[in-house]
């Protein structure tokens, strides 16, 4: 796990158990990003969609200016934003400025959409750790969260509803191979 130093000082009160938070991450194909976050204990919902654009009513056929992204709802009493960042980084290629794996172009670029200064500070800290570790410039952007529009129903939970085609896509896109090259084999 990437080390993240606590931001700010003073005592912090634990959030109430029923208080949830959201985070938005773009990392190429939203099916794959959604699948990665569904495995994280404390994540209560993932929604594939479109983030970062301004044009009204984006959809799969027309989402120019947007990135395919996933809105992650989580219980901060069970999982930290730092852990979500760790999951995110280990499921993207942070050095590809033009997209992710076989999916290239603006819609597939990696972006962390931050909701506040604390998230921005944590994202920047982990970005620097990755740059230092690999001695390479990180291409992933860190931008303020703006709009998020859920994708069409057939994109939601695609990895569960279409497991064979999802695994075929993920392998043929080179995602699994590149992630292993960067981060090593996934623990079993």
């Amino acid at each position: 796990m990437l080390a993240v130093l606590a931001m700010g000082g003073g005592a912090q009160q634990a959030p109430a158990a029923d208080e949830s938070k959201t985070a938005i991450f773009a990392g190429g194909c939203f099916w794959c990003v959604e699948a990665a976050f569904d495995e994280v204990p404390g994540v209560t919902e993932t929604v594939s969609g479109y983030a970062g654009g301004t044009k009204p009513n984006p959809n799969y056929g027309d989402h120019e200016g947007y990135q395919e992204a996933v809105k992650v709802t989580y219980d901060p009493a069970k999982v930290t934003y730092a852990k979500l960042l760790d999951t995110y980084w280990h499921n993207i290629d942070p050095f590809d400025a033009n997209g992710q794996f076989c999916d290239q172009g603006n819609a597939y670029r990696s972006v962390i959409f931050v909701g506040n200064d604390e998230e921005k500070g944590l994202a920047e800290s982990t970005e620097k750790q990755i740059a230092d570790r690999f001695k390479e410039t990180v291409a992933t952007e860190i931008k303020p969260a703006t709009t998020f529009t859920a994708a069409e129903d057939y994109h939601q939970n695609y990895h569960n509803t279409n497991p064979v085609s999802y695994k075929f896509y993920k392998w043929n896109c080179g995602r699994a191979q590149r992630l292993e090259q960067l981060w090593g084999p996934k623990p079993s």
Side-chain angles (χ1 to χ4, degrees):
M1 185 166 168
L2 298 169
V4 179
L5 300 174
M7 302 297 292
Q12 292 184 342
Q13 197 171 5
D18 59 348
E19 186 180 320
S20 62
K21 292 187 174 186
T22 60
I24 301 172
F25 301 99
C29 172
F30 45 37
W31 299 340
C32 298
V33 177
E34 183 178 17
F37 282 106
D38 278 351
E39 295 177 5
V40 178
V43 168
T44 58
E45 181 183 40
T46 55
V47 178
S48 289
Y50 314 101
T54 57
K55 213 162 103 177
N57 305 316
N59 59 62
Y60 194 66
D62 183 15
H63 55 274
E64 183 180 336
Y66 287 84
Q67 280 77 48
E68 286 195 9
V70 173
K71 182 167 76 170
V72 177
T73 303
Y74 65 101
D75 179 346
K78 294 181 180 172
V79 64
T80 63
Y81 186 74
K83 172 61 179 158
L84 297 179
L85 283 169
D86 188 62
T87 298
Y88 173 74
W89 289 118
H90 284 88
N91 282 280
I92 66 160
D93 178 349
F95 310 112
D96 189 342
N98 298 315
Q100 290 290 290
F101 316 102
C102 70
D103 294 316
Q104 296 293 298
N106 182 59
Y108 300 106
R109 287 183 306 106
S110 59
V111 181
I112 300 169
F113 292 97
V114 295
N116 57 47
D117 288 341
E118 182 180 10
E119 289 178 2
K120 181 180 180 188
L122 290 170
E124 288 173 345
S125 173
T126 55
E127 175 189 40
K128 182 178 180 337
Q129 290 172 38
I130 290 167
D132 291 348
R133 174 181 170 181
F134 289 95
K135 310 267 187 276
E136 201 169 331
T137 301
V138 172
T140 301
E141 288 185 78
I142 299 169
K143 295 171 34 173
T146 54
T147 58
F148 179 87
T149 303
E152 296 79 0
D153 287 345
Y154 67 91
H155 288 298
Q156 307 304 327
N157 298 305
Y158 191 86
H159 59 289
N160 291 326
T161 58
N162 298 282
V164 174
S165 58
Y166 167 73
K167 288 176 186 170
F168 181 80
Y169 161 78
K170 186 176 177 181
W171 180 261
N172 283 332
C173 193
R175 189 177 199 108
Q177 302 89 315
R178 177 65 174 146
L179 292 177
E180 186 170 324
Q181 180 186 33
L182 282 169
W183 306 106
K186 274 189 138 182
S188 21

